[in-house]
Amino acid sequence: MTFGRQVRGREVAVIGAGKTPFGAFAGEDLRTLSVTAGRKALVNAGLEPSAIEAFYLGNFAGPEFTAQNHLAPWISTALGMTGIPSTRFEAACASSGSAFFHAFMAVASGIYDVVMVAGVEKMTCQPTPRVTEILAGAGDGSSEVRVGSTFPSLFAMIARRHMHDFGTTREHLSSVAVKNHENGALNPDAQMRKVITLEQAMNARPIAEPLNLYDCSLISDGAAAVILCAADRARSFTDKPIKVLGVAQASDYVALDRKPEITTFPALRAAAQQAYAMAGVAAKEIEFAELHDCFTIAEIVAMEDLGFVERGRGGFFSFEGGTRRDGPMPINASGGLKSKGHPVGATGVGQICDIIQQLRCEAGDRQLRRHSLGLAQNLGGSGATCVVTILGRD
Amino acid sequence: MTFGRQVRGREVAVIGAGKTPFGAFAGEDLRTLSVTAGRKALVNAGLEPSAIEAFYLGNFAGPEFTAQNHLAPWISTALGMTGIPSTRFEAACASSGSAFFHAFMAVASGIYDVVMVAGVEKMTCQPTPRVTEILAGAGDGSSEVRVGSTFPSLFAMIARRHMHDFGTTREHLSSVAVKNHENGALNPDAQMRKVITLEQAMNARPIAEPLNLYDCSLISDGAAAVILCAADRARSFTDKPIKVLGVAQASDYVALDRKPEITTFPALRAAAQQAYAMAGVAAKEIEFAELHDCFTIAEIVAMEDLGFVERGRGGFFSFEGGTRRDGPMPINASGGLKSKGHPVGATGVGQICDIIQQLRCEAGDRQLRRHSLGLAQNLGGSGATCVVTILGRD
């Protein structure tokens, strides 16, 4: 692996960030959502569209949800950018994390000075069964999906196995949902601003046992955008530049049945190790994180694979309050995918925006005490793609 | 624009190339096609899958054609590659040209030494009306497509305007088809190996007037792959390395009605200028080219925008035999999209494979006399994305 080479490239900073609220917005399409987020990021950086040298768009399934494809130039021209390379990146629910990774490489290597990375998804225009079917495209159609699996059922198997192997309980899973709803209730941009009790979370209607309604993230519309810049130029645009300290993407088999163990994701572990090495930090130094809680069990597996807790201890740690805003490792202070919403193609860059908000001390009621080093983890499918990004204050 | 920076990066070579035949293959899916092409490229470079540090996949509409999404790791793991970044690039029919552009940047900038770029599409599993509908996703669903335009009708408008403004004739258009069929008849991997007469080409049934059946490219399945490597290491893998002298991607409005003129594509001109500048060559030095003849008029516009002929003269030049294999500027010696086939996501890398075959003097009956400097031009939509690549013998 030559990832270490990136460390020798230029330093890269985020100089602008912008998001739409996440939710169900009947009057918005992929383009209007993206333009709103992109314009916010431009204003935040104090830039005109003409300053952007390349456009990186993360989107998972726009064509299936909306019939519009060729999305990158469709959106970038509406933002006032023509002539530049404008490309869509697809890596399932890690699509915009992947776009961010590629944009980072292009700036770090000196090809571009200023680029925009955006993520978008428009999901609520389809009925739920069709949404589930489209999302199942991120699984393996030749095996697991062919025999009827959907993502709730795949993560249900992961949860069941985690419970069997490590003693994780139904309460543990629900503690993730309760905490994320508590955080999301304080987030004005969250889709579901609703506090729930552990009892409510445990007794909700089953979706794919052991997962119930409150173990599953939401169907959402939304967009997010950031502007990356060579770090040595960042302070000419903003007095609050955020440094990209490490970022890595890794892959693995799409089909769950191809994995020797289903309660750990090798792509997640590989991306984490590479990002830590690039940033020169250890897991225990990370102060807070936005993790990909598409299902409650996914947050538990991620905190283990990232090395925040020992393998098998994620459920216990969550239940004991370790991941609450006042705990030793606050996770998903934004509300997470569970409460904030999960417009899949927007989620990766959205997480990065949430980390930036904390680093800049702009998170209002959700502001964390320790906020100088944050990590975002974006997952595609049941672990076939993972992107890990580490951000810090300059 | 900072494209010039790439010139100061490392030199990049293609060390392996492989393609499937293009055609209708009922027994093949996106993965089997890609694995065939990828394995051929690995064998051609004498590499094991473990040598590949990142996987770049171009695919336009796999999810709509086949319901399988998250394609990059689904394919790369089947090729024996895990752990590495594995990403799908979508830029309509320029998807794999765009993947190639991004892969080139990553190697030129020193991030990776050895990467694979592949392109794939599986189209024949859908009936033709549905194929046309899926392809229309590369147009603007909020304007032109909403009012009923499909790509044949959009390019028909371009052709009609070109005829009006420049005196291009029905014979001129057909001369492109006749020449490409003549070339494709000599290509064992072409989908339609059939010589046609000018009379046949002119009198075929209308599709969208003035375009008829022989003005339109084919609906195809197929895949293509190349392996890129830092040029200073290339000769340790192959004695026939091909240098990537220039490559650029540019974008423009998706909707035809947003363009001030429809008989020239600004994104094509921008990409061409940048690729020429990077390669340090002028249009007149290019010896042969593979152009994106999705429709006959597209080949005519491309040869003008690339500066091979003056604006408005493309049809005349073609009719006079200028683009034949024995002409001053051989175009689409492979048969082009018209005869070779157009599995859209595979087309960009497929064109690069065709250029390489000529540069390596491996094109059999189609081998051109001058074969040291070739150009590939890959178009997305009606000009919203364009990638231009210039390749030469080392």
Side-chain angles (χ1 to χ4, degrees):
Chain A
M1 297 298 297
T2 53
F3 267 88
R5 287 165 191 265
Q6 291 174 21
V7 184
R8 296 199 293 273
R10 299 194 292 182
E11 293 197 324
V12 177
V14 182
I15 57 169
K19 277 172 71 174
T20 66
F22 290 175
F25 306 119
E28 304 274 351
D29 67 18
L30 284 166
R31 187 160 56 175
T32 57
L33 289 164
S34 304
V35 166
T36 299
R39 282 194 186 141
K40 280 187 184 179
L42 286 167
V43 168
N44 192 238
L47 286 178
E48 294 297 321
S50 58
I52 303 297
E53 297 166 69
F55 181 67
Y56 295 75
L57 178 72
N59 173 265
F60 170 47
E64 298 96 295
F65 283 119
T66 73
Q68 181 65 53
N69 209 334
H70 205 182
L71 290 168
W74 193 61
I75 288 166
S76 57
T77 51
L79 274 162
M81 305 184 274
T82 56
I84 61 173
S86 180
T87 311
R88 171 175 165 232
F89 294 73
E90 183 273 307
C93 300
S95 292
S96 62
S98 176
F100 183 91
F101 168 71
H102 286 88
F104 169 86
M105 288 198 291
V107 177
S109 61
I111 290 169
Y112 304 120
D113 284 341
V114 183
V115 304
M116 181 184 284
V117 191
V120 67
E121 207 78 57
K122 170 77 191 177
M123 303 168 73
T124 66
C125 47
Q126 296 289 343
T128 300
R130 176 69 184 135
V131 172
T132 303
E133 190 183 341
I134 291 169
L135 293 176
D140 192 329
S142 71
S143 57
E144 56 195 14
V145 175
R146 190 177 179 185
V147 297
S149 296
T150 60
F151 274 96
S153 69
L154 293 170
F155 277 89
M157 287 191 271
I158 294 170
R160 189 69 84 192
R161 186 77 207 185
H162 205 277
M163 293 165 112
H164 175 271
D165 287 356
F166 304 116
T168 301
T169 67
R170 184 55 263 175
E171 287 85 345
H172 293 174
L173 296 176
S174 291
S175 73
V176 173
V178 171
K179 180 262 297 173
N180 287 351
H181 272 274
E182 188 181 311
N183 292 343
L186 301 174
N187 184 350
D189 289 337
Q191 182 168 3
M192 196 174 274
R193 301 185 62 183
K194 171 181 162 186
V195 173
I196 56 169
T197 64
L198 188 65
E199 195 168 36
Q200 280 177 301
M202 287 181 61
N203 297 317
R205 65 183 168 86
I207 298 294
E209 290 189 291
L211 303 181
N212 69 38
L213 186 68
Y214 281 119
D215 292 300
C216 305
S217 58
L218 309 174
I219 293 170
S220 317
D221 308 329
V226 294
I227 294 167
L228 296 184
C229 174
D232 57 9
R233 286 186 57 196
R235 285 207 178 269
S236 63
F237 299 110
T238 175
D239 54 0
K240 287 180 173 181
I242 298 300
K243 269 200 181 166
V244 185
L245 299 169
V247 55
Q249 176 180 334
S251 62
D252 192 19
Y253 294 101
V254 168
L256 206 58
D257 56 80
R258 291 296 305 270
K259 299 187 209 291
E261 291 185 283
I262 63 170
T263 57
T264 177
F265 298 142
L268 204 172
R269 298 175 84 95
Q273 280 166 24
Q274 290 163 19
Y276 288 144
M278 194 187 300
V281 302
K284 65 177 188 302
E285 295 177 71
I286 301 294
E287 295 176 350
F288 65 100
E290 289 287 323
L291 304 190
H292 194 99
D293 59 322
C294 48
F295 299 94
T296 50
I297 185 64
E299 180 171 314
I300 289 170
V301 169
M303 70 177 90
E304 296 175 4
D305 280 340
L306 286 162
F308 294 164
V309 294
E310 269 179 56
R311 180 124 189 249
R313 300 303 299 173
F316 295 89
F317 188 69
S318 178
F319 187 71
E320 291 155 6
T323 59
R324 292 167 53 99
R325 294 198 314 283
D326 58 359
M329 174 54 82
I331 288 175
N332 288 328
S334 68
L337 287 50
K338 179 70 207 76
S339 159
K340 180 181 61 178
H342 183 26
V344 292
T347 285
V349 171
Q351 293 175 313
I352 288 167
C353 290
D354 291 326
I355 296 282
I356 290 169
Q357 207 174 31
Q358 289 286 346
L359 291 170
R360 285 176 167 177
C361 216
E362 295 173 350
D365 294 342
R366 289 163 293 116
Q367 185 63 46
L368 300 168
R369 193 171 45 81
R370 297 169 69 219
H371 54 84
S372 61
L373 188 64
L375 178 149
Q377 172 262 336
N378 190 198
L379 193 77
S382 53
T385 300
C386 190
V387 182
V388 172
T389 306
I390 301 172
L391 301 160
R393 273 186 296 185
D394 193 18
Chain B
M1 297 299 296
T2 53
F3 267 88
R5 286 164 191 265
Q6 291 173 22
V7 184
R8 296 199 293 274
R10 298 195 292 182
E11 293 198 324
V12 176
V14 182
I15 58 169
K19 276 172 72 174
T20 65
F22 290 175
F25 306 118
E28 304 274 351
D29 67 19
L30 284 166
R31 187 160 56 176
T32 57
L33 289 164
S34 304
V35 166
T36 299
R39 281 194 185 138
K40 281 187 184 178
L42 286 166
V43 168
N44 191 239
L47 286 177
E48 294 296 322
S50 58
I52 303 297
E53 298 166 67
F55 180 67
Y56 295 76
L57 178 72
N59 173 265
F60 170 47
E64 299 96 294
F65 283 119
T66 74
Q68 181 65 52
N69 208 334
H70 205 182
L71 290 167
W74 192 62
I75 287 166
S76 57
T77 51
L79 275 161
M81 306 184 273
T82 56
I84 62 172
S86 180
T87 311
R88 170 174 165 234
F89 294 73
E90 182 274 307
C93 301
S95 292
S96 62
S98 176
F100 183 92
F101 169 71
H102 286 87
F104 168 86
M105 286 198 291
V107 177
S109 61
I111 291 170
Y112 304 119
D113 284 342
V114 183
V115 304
M116 181 184 285
V117 190
V120 66
E121 207 78 58
K122 169 77 191 175
M123 303 168 73
T124 65
C125 48
Q126 296 288 344
T128 300
R130 177 68 184 135
V131 172
T132 303
E133 190 183 340
I134 290 169
L135 293 177
D140 192 328
S142 71
S143 57
E144 57 195 12
V145 176
R146 188 177 181 187
V147 297
S149 296
T150 60
F151 274 97
S153 70
L154 292 170
F155 277 89
M157 286 191 272
I158 294 169
R160 188 70 82 191
R161 186 77 207 184
H162 205 278
M163 294 165 113
H164 176 271
D165 287 356
F166 304 117
T168 301
T169 67
R170 183 56 263 175
E171 286 85 346
H172 293 175
L173 297 175
S174 290
S175 72
V176 174
V178 170
K179 179 260 301 172
N180 287 351
H181 273 272
E182 187 181 312
N183 293 342
L186 301 173
N187 183 350
D189 289 337
Q191 183 168 1
M192 197 173 274
R193 300 185 61 183
K194 173 180 161 186
V195 173
I196 56 169
T197 64
L198 188 66
E199 195 168 35
Q200 280 177 300
M202 286 181 60
N203 297 318
R205 67 183 166 88
I207 298 295
E209 289 188 291
L211 304 181
N212 70 38
L213 187 68
Y214 281 119
D215 292 300
C216 306
S217 58
L218 309 174
I219 293 170
S220 316
D221 308 329
V226 294
I227 295 168
L228 295 184
C229 173
D232 57 8
R233 287 186 57 197
R235 286 209 177 267
S236 63
F237 299 109
T238 175
D239 55 0
K240 288 181 174 181
I242 299 300
K243 271 201 181 165
V244 186
L245 300 169
V247 55
Q249 176 180 334
S251 61
D252 192 18
Y253 294 100
V254 169
L256 206 59
D257 56 79
R258 289 298 304 272
K259 300 188 209 291
E261 290 185 285
I262 64 170
T263 57
T264 177
F265 298 143
L268 203 171
R269 298 176 84 95
Q273 280 166 22
Q274 290 162 20
Y276 287 143
M278 194 187 300
V281 303
K284 64 177 190 301
E285 295 177 70
I286 300 295
E287 295 176 350
F288 65 101
E290 290 286 324
L291 304 190
H292 194 98
D293 60 322
C294 48
F295 299 93
T296 50
I297 184 64
E299 181 171 314
I300 289 170
V301 170
M303 70 177 89
E304 296 176 6
D305 280 340
L306 286 161
F308 294 165
V309 294
E310 268 180 57
R311 181 124 188 248
R313 299 304 300 173
F316 295 89
F317 188 67
S318 178
F319 186 72
E320 291 156 8
T323 59
R324 292 168 53 101
R325 294 199 313 284
D326 58 0
M329 174 54 82
I331 288 174
N332 288 328
S334 69
L337 286 50
K338 179 69 208 76
S339 159
K340 181 181 61 178
H342 183 26
V344 291
T347 285
V349 171
Q351 292 174 315
I352 287 167
C353 290
D354 291 325
I355 297 283
I356 290 169
Q357 209 175 29
Q358 290 286 346
L359 292 171
R360 285 178 166 175
C361 215
E362 295 173 349
D365 294 341
R366 290 164 292 117
Q367 185 63 46
L368 300 169
R369 192 171 46 81
R370 297 167 70 216
H371 53 83
S372 60
L373 188 64
L375 179 149
Q377 172 261 336
N378 190 199
L379 194 76
S382 53
T385 300
C386 190
V387 182
V388 172
T389 306
I390 300 171
L391 301 159
R393 273 186 295 184
D394 193 17

